[in-house]
Amino acid sequence: IRDENNVVVNEWAFNGQNATIPTVSLKTGFGKEFINNEEIYLEYLYSVDGQVWPDENDPANWIRWEEGALVSTFDARSASAPQKAGFYRVRARISSNANYKDAELVMSEEFAFTIKKAEVSINVGEFATQKDYDGVAISIPKPVASNGADVTLILKNKNGELITRLVNEGTSVINAGEYTLVYSVSESENYLSATKEIKIIINKATVTISKPVINDAGWSYGGAVRLPA
């Protein structure tokens, strides 16, 4: 007579960063208990939005969870621990075993967790945002996203009119005026979108005229005209 059995997953929460395996125990009718060994494993369903799920009755849609290394011993399926942002339904199972009754049919109740999309920061480098016109351009470095994604840079004038639109490039401004830099990164599978806006003001320079100096005290009529210095 093969032993009766059931699977229990201890209370556990996924923190969205460390994809570790919780403590899972197999308790048999004879009182024997296995904890996190080859007799038991976790598997999960994945959904991008938490609304549309794969068919839970199709065993091929349940992905075996292994921490770190890939798995290739369970129904020819391979998967690492969950990493993508999205929604997960997880349960524990017992590997088929001749000593335990219908072991392959036994599973725990499901529990759920969510991996939220990560935020993205945009590094715009360092440059002056205000100065008086001096004929020297303000050099604006190439922006870099923390997740390595493309960064779009839009440069506009005071009236909001487009001057230039660049991707993964820097630019420069030289003439007096007010400018707006708008940086953006698009939302992706695992990251949220991000934007950053910076204003640049180049003030008009002050013009001064020095007092003229007359080199000669004067000259006679009809002679060569001499302009002051």
Side-chain angles (χ1 to χ4, degrees), residues 7 28 37 44 68 71 87 91 126 128 133 142 145 147 150-151 182 207:
V7 176
T28 74
N37 67 2
Y44 63 85
V71 180
F87 299 79
R91 66 189 183 191
E126 297 183 0
Y133 174 79
K142 171 186 173 181
N147 65 339
D150 290 339
V151 182
V182 181
V207 178

Side-chain angles (χ1 to χ4, degrees), residues 98-212:
N99 294 317
Y100 299 100
K101 181 179 178 179
D102 298 324
E104 66 278 1
L105 302 179
V106 178
M107 65 190 74
S108 72
E109 293 183 2
E110 292 181 14
F111 61 97
F113 67 83
T114 302
I115 299 179
K116 296 180 179 179
K117 291 189 176 185
E119 294 183 352
V120 177
S121 61
I122 303 174
N123 183 354
V124 301
E126 297 183 0
F127 53 91
T129 57
Q130 185 167 355
K131 73 168 189 174
D132 294 334
Y133 174 79
D134 58 4
V136 178
I138 295 178
S139 179
I140 300 166
K142 171 186 173 181
V144 179
S146 59
N147 65 339
D150 290 339
V151 182
T152 299
L153 169 58
I154 293 176
L155 175 63
K156 299 184 291 185
N157 64 18
K158 182 179 180 180
N159 298 322
E161 298 167 332
L162 177 67
I163 297 176
T164 188
R165 181 182 185 276
L166 304 164
V167 178
N168 296 333
E169 292 184 48
T171 186
S172 63
V173 290
I174 186 170
N175 294 323
E178 296 184 16
Y179 304 89
T180 300
L181 300 169
V182 181
Y183 300 87
S184 63
V185 175
S186 299
E187 184 173 353
S188 61
E189 182 180 51
N190 293 314
Y191 293 90
L192 297 169
S193 61
T195 59
K196 177 177 286 190
E197 184 173 303
I198 297 176
K199 291 189 178 297
I200 295 178
I201 299 176
I202 300 179
N203 301 308
K204 291 183 177 181
T206 301
V207 178
T208 59
I209 301 178
S210 59
K211 180 181 178 180

Side-chain angles (χ1 to χ4, degrees), residues 61-93:
N61 291 329
W62 287 89
I63 303 172
R64 182 162 177 169
W65 180 333
E66 290 286 333
E67 182 179 11
L70 298 179
V71 180
S72 59
T73 58
F74 183 70
D75 292 347
R77 282 178 279 156
S78 300
S80 61
Q83 297 179 2
K84 294 192 298 183
F87 299 79
Y88 295 83
R89 289 164 51 187
V90 185
R91 66 189 183 191
R93 298 291 297 270

